[in-house]
């Protein structure tokens, strides 16, 4: 275990052990599992402001992605100009290229402490007694690959854990794509700039479409590989759980479920804010609608009185 994280892991160990002792009279053998879940949720609750800040930064990156791509295509051969244009774009939008990354980086020590706690056989030079507890007869310190096989009780518990993790990974990936689409759709359309007043903005040569990939041919090689990698990355958590103790797998399941709940909460709040912005002009237009009948009669009377002498 890293000496840098040794002290925090030892402190977290005493907290979870004390919580296990408190829950034992109520939950019996499930007290350690419940303590892992409760402790993980408590830490994630404390880190929630950083998580929401990271989500806002990721949404900003998704919203600016088309503009960033256009800048790279236009100034790809001018690195210094490209950097200046990208910096100016981020400043106009009130964000930065690290907006979605920095909050995640700040959470890393806390999440690493919890993961090390639930996978380390020893803490502070003594045995990690949390791993001696069990879930449905399977020790929390047991590994899937060290079991009797998928047909055993231990194998069934791990397979159930993997199925839950895979389901959460799929939901998280789908929600991520939905949030990216919402962020892109929420980007306000900007009119094309025209160099000379009265002249339309420059476009592609009449009769010639914009450059693109060869029609009818899908992207290949390096262009296709990122898509496969992005699709496979969300399921990396399942692979990690396959080589970790059951206690660490329970932690991964809890923190992944919390992350999914945070993303759903942020997505709903963003949609609600967008709908509110869209309906506000309609409400203002309704308030400033046609004159009422008395006001209209008064205006008409005034126009008659101010007629020709």
């Amino acid at each position: 275990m890293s000496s840098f994280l040794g002290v925090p892991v030892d402190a977290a160990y005493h907290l979870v052990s004390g919580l296990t002792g408190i829950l034992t009279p109520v939950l019996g053998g499930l007290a350690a599992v419940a303590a892992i879940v409760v402790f993980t949720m408590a830490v994630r609750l404390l880190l929630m402001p950083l998580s929401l800040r990271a989500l806002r930064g990721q949404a900003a990156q998704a919203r600016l992605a088309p503009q960033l791509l256009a800048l790279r295509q236009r100034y790809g051969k001018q690195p210094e100009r490209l950097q200046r244009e990208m910096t100016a774009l981020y400043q106009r939008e009130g964000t930065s290229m690290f907006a979605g990354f920095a909050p995640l980086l700040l959470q890393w020590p806390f999440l690493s402490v919890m993961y090390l706690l639930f996978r380390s056989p020893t803490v502070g030079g003594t045995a990690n007694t949390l791993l001696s507890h069990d879930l449905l007869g399977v020790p929390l310190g047991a590994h899937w690959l060290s079991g009797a096989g998928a047909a055993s009780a231990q194998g069934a518990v791990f397979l159930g854990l993997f199925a839950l993790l895979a389901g959460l990974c799929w939901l998280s990936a789908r929600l991520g794509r939905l949030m990216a689409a919402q962020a892109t759709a929420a980007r306000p359309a900007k009119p094309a700039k025209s160099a000379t007043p009265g002249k339309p903005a420059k476009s592609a040569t009449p009769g010639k479409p914009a450059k693109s990939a060869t029609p009818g041919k899908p992207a290949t090689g390096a262009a296709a590989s990122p898509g496969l990698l992005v699709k496979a990355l969300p399921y990396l958590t399942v692979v990690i759980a396959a080589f970790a103790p059951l206690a660490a797998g329970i932690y991964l399941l809890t923190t992944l479920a919390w992350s999914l709940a945070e993303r759903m909460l942020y997505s709903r709040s963003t949609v609600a804010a967008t709908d509110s912005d869209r309906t506000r002009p309609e409400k203002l237009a309704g308030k400033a609608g046609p004159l009422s009948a008395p006001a209209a009669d008064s205006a008409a009377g005034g126009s008659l009185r101010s007629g020709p002498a």
Side-chain angles (χ1 to χ4, degrees):
M1 182 185 303
S2 172
S3 58
F4 171 69
L5 297 176
V7 175
V9 169
D10 188 51
Y13 170 71
H14 286 88
L15 287 174
V16 180
S17 297
L19 186 57
T20 301
I22 294 174
L23 295 176
T24 297
V26 180
L27 300 177
L30 295 176
V33 176
I36 292 174
V37 174
V38 171
F39 180 74
T40 302
M41 293 175 64
V43 174
R44 291 304 307 266
L45 181 62
L46 294 176
L47 296 176
M48 194 170 181
L50 289 175
S51 300
L52 295 178
R53 189 178 182 88
L55 289 174
R56 285 193 293 267
Q58 293 168 8
Q61 289 287 346
R63 187 179 68 252
L64 298 179
Q67 300 179 58
L68 292 172
L69 178 60
L71 289 176
R72 292 190 183 97
Q73 291 175 346
R74 185 174 182 180
Y75 303 111
K77 296 181 180 180
Q78 306 175 48
E80 295 181 357
R81 177 69 182 277
L82 175 61
Q83 186 63 34
R84 290 198 303 269
E85 295 291 338
M86 291 175 63
T87 302
L89 175 61
Y90 282 124
Q91 290 178 349
R92 289 196 304 269
E93 297 294 334
T95 184
S96 70
M97 64 179 66
F98 303 108
F101 177 72
L104 293 177
L105 188 62
L106 292 175
Q107 297 180 61
W108 173 81
F110 301 94
L111 302 180
S112 297
V113 164
M114 290 190 291
Y115 181 70
L116 287 173
L117 170 61
F118 301 132
R119 72 175 296 275
S120 302
T122 59
V123 177
T126 59
N128 188 347
T129 57
L130 291 174
L131 302 185
S132 63
H133 295 268
D134 64 88
L135 172 63
L136 302 178
V138 180
L140 297 181
H143 290 72
W144 176 54
L145 298 177
S146 64
S152 63
Q154 178 172 326
V157 170
F158 273 98
L159 290 179
L161 175 66
F162 299 156
L164 292 175
L165 282 172
L168 289 177
C169 290
W170 180 81
L171 289 174
S172 181
R174 182 172 182 179
L175 182 59
R177 291 192 296 269
L178 178 61
M179 291 173 64
Q182 290 175 348
T184 304
R187 180 173 60 90
K190 296 183 179 180
K193 295 182 178 180
S194 175
T196 306
K199 292 185 179 181
K202 292 182 179 181
S203 60
T205 305
K208 293 184 180 181
K211 292 182 179 180
S212 62
T214 305
K217 291 186 179 181
T220 58
S225 56
L228 296 176
L229 181 61
V230 169
K231 291 180 180 180
L233 275 178
Y235 299 93
L236 183 62
T237 306
V238 183
V239 178
I240 295 174
F243 294 91
L246 180 59
I250 294 172
Y251 156 72
L252 291 174
L253 180 65
T254 306
T255 194
L256 186 59
W258 184 277
S259 297
L260 179 61
E262 283 180 338
R263 293 165 73 92
M264 293 177 65
L265 175 64
Y266 178 80
S267 177
R268 290 182 179 180
S269 63
T270 302
V271 171
T274 303
D275 292 342
S276 177
D277 292 340
R278 289 176 178 174
T279 57
R280 186 177 294 114
E282 297 177 0
K283 292 180 180 179
L284 294 176
K287 291 181 179 180
L291 294 174
S292 60
D297 293 341
S298 176
S303 63
L304 290 174
R305 288 192 296 269
S306 62

